[in-house]
């Protein structure tokens, strides 16, 4: 059981890294030192389409990663 969970954690870790790299950038020219004004710095837009899917997918993956990590801690303490 422990080895199965450890393998699942490793595979899930790789999938999370890939999912994070697949997420689109918010604003490629968002530089703090840019003189374009501060209104763009605090602007909050709602994610739509692929971006929203990737955010939710990544959040679900991280939840399962934390759950498996917690189970591994519990199993290793016994």
């Amino acid at each position: 059981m422990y080895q199965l969970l450890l393998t699942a954690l490793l595979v899930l870790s790789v999938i999370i890294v890939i999912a994070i790299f697949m997420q689109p950038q918010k604003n490629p020219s968002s530089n703090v030192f840019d003189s374009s004004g501060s209104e763009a710095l605090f602007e909050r837009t709602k994610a739509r389409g692929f971006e929203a899917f990737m955010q939710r997918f990544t959040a679900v993956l991280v939840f399962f990663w934390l759950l498996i990590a917690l189970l591994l801690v519990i199993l290793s303490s016994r």
Side-chain angles (χ1 to χ4, degrees), residues 57-72:
F57 182 65
T58 306
V60 169
L61 288 176
V62 169
F63 172 76
F64 284 120
W65 188 89
L66 288 171
L67 184 68
I68 291 173
L70 183 63
L71 288 173
L72 283 171

Side-chain angles (χ1 to χ4, degrees), residues 15-34:
I15 293 172
I16 288 172
V17 169
I18 292 170
I20 289 172
F21 280 129
M22 283 181 60
Q23 290 185 6
Q25 286 184 329
K26 300 277 186 195
N27 187 2
S29 66
S30 64
N31 189 355
V32 176
F33 303 110
D34 193 10

Side-chain angles (χ1 to χ4, degrees), residues 2-65:
Y2 184 81
Q3 293 296 327
L4 179 68
L5 286 175
L6 197 59
T7 304
L9 189 73
L10 179 64
V11 169
L12 203 54
S13 299
V14 171
I15 293 172
I16 288 172
V17 169
I18 292 170
I20 289 172
F21 280 129
M22 283 181 60
Q23 290 185 6
Q25 286 184 329
K26 300 277 186 195
N27 187 2
S29 66
S30 64
N31 189 355
V32 176
F33 303 110
D34 193 10
S35 63
S36 64
S38 64
E39 64 273 354
L41 180 63
F42 299 107
E43 184 177 289
R44 187 143 166 107
T45 59
K46 186 173 181 178
R48 299 186 189 279
F50 180 71
E51 184 178 353
F53 170 75
M54 287 305 295
Q55 285 179 356
R56 289 187 188 106
F57 182 65
T58 306
V60 169
L61 288 176
V62 169
F63 172 76
F64 284 120
W65 188 89

